[in-house]
Amino acid sequence: MVHNLALVLGGGGAAGNAWEIGIVAGLAEAGLDMTQAADFVVGTSAGATAAAQVRSGISPAELLASVLSPPVQPVGQNRERPPSLPMATVFERMRAIGAAATSAADLQRAMGAFGLESDSVLGAGAAQRRATVAARLPRLEWPDRPMIVVAVDAHTGELAAFDRECGVELADAVTASTALPGLVPTVSINGARYIDGGVRSADNADLASGYANVLVLSPLGGRSQTPPQAGQFEGLRRSPEWGTDLLSQVEALRNQGSHVEVVTPDADSRAAMGTNQMDPATRVPAALAGFAQGKREATRVSFL
């Protein structure tokens, strides 16, 4: 293999994003600075925001400090809450879609249809949503070093992997990657509409194919081994036969010769992330727990 190290940052809401930054900062504290070491970064959903942060040129310590600081309100943004659907209703619909899907493509198309259907209620908040996402990015320009942001075409269900060569603004790409159907509007880019990249895979670790070493930070990955807490959404149902779950993707990478390490939330981090990982109030405790866990994980991922 020609390439060395890929960093994969999975989805997991506000808590997942904060936990990933905490992990990166903890690893750096222990001498493993992923902002410098990673040759390639894959970001999905909350991990897309984390990817833009990691690739911003800002140190891990500063990134962590930013997460621990009060969020900045975008200039001129409407302070009224954007239109929304009840979260319980959204998760029930997602469970039904997952239960009925017969293939990964079927699941992705059905989730896209749900997103487009929800736009009749959520669409009025599209501009506010983009401004919120853009305010979280340390830089609005694509980084020079390789990075992709994963979304899904809402009409076709197909993968969209945005990078600096695609002609799409970084803020639009990250907004698309974080557009979870039913909770926020789909994102219009060049005449197409996009939804959360986590609909294809919570991590999309397969996109790191070809790299000798792969480090996956997966806020949701541990749920394949550890059931979610009571009241916590369990995520979209995926058949291992589809190859889109984390275990299948990691196995495929290893079969190709990659050395893969996966970091999922430990008990302390899971407790800090709570049952509603979308809740911004989880950010500080999740980041602090991730920081502590990152320092502990440094020895295990010392292959870097």
Side-chain angles (χ1 to χ4, degrees), residues 142 144 162-168:
W142 282 93
D144 293 331
F162 297 114
D163 62 15
R164 67 174 288 111
E165 306 300 330
C166 69
V168 174

Side-chain angles (χ1 to χ4, degrees), residues 226-304:
T226 304
Q229 299 177 56
Q232 188 177 53
F233 180 59
E234 67 275 15
L236 284 168
R237 184 195 69 83
R238 307 180 196 276
S239 169
E241 298 175 358
W242 301 349
T244 54
D245 65 290
L246 179 59
L247 290 179
S248 297
Q249 292 182 343
V250 168
E251 181 181 8
L253 288 170
R254 287 172 175 161
N255 288 340
Q256 295 167 16
S258 296
H259 180 166
V260 184
E261 294 288 349
V262 179
V263 178
T264 61
D266 61 13
D268 289 342
S269 290
R270 288 196 302 271
M273 294 165 86
T275 58
N276 180 8
Q277 291 181 215
M278 306 295 181
D279 185 352
T282 62
R283 288 181 58 78
V284 169
L288 292 173
F291 180 64
Q293 183 182 353
K295 289 189 288 185
R296 292 192 296 270
E297 297 281 4
T299 300
R300 182 167 71 84
V301 301
S302 59
F303 72 92
L304 305 175

Side-chain angles (χ1 to χ4, degrees), residues 77-130:
Q77 179 168 311
N78 183 354
R79 292 182 179 271
E80 294 182 4
R81 292 182 62 86
S84 63
L85 297 173
M87 191 168 289
T89 301
V90 172
F91 288 161
E92 275 305 311
R93 180 69 177 274
M94 290 172 67
R95 289 186 184 101
I97 290 172
T102 57
S103 67
D106 187 30
L107 174 69
Q108 288 157 214
R109 285 192 296 268
M111 284 294 289
F114 176 37
L116 294 168
E117 170 194 325
S118 302
D119 279 349
S120 61
V121 175
L122 306 175
Q128 184 176 349
R129 171 68 181 168
R130 186 190 187 279

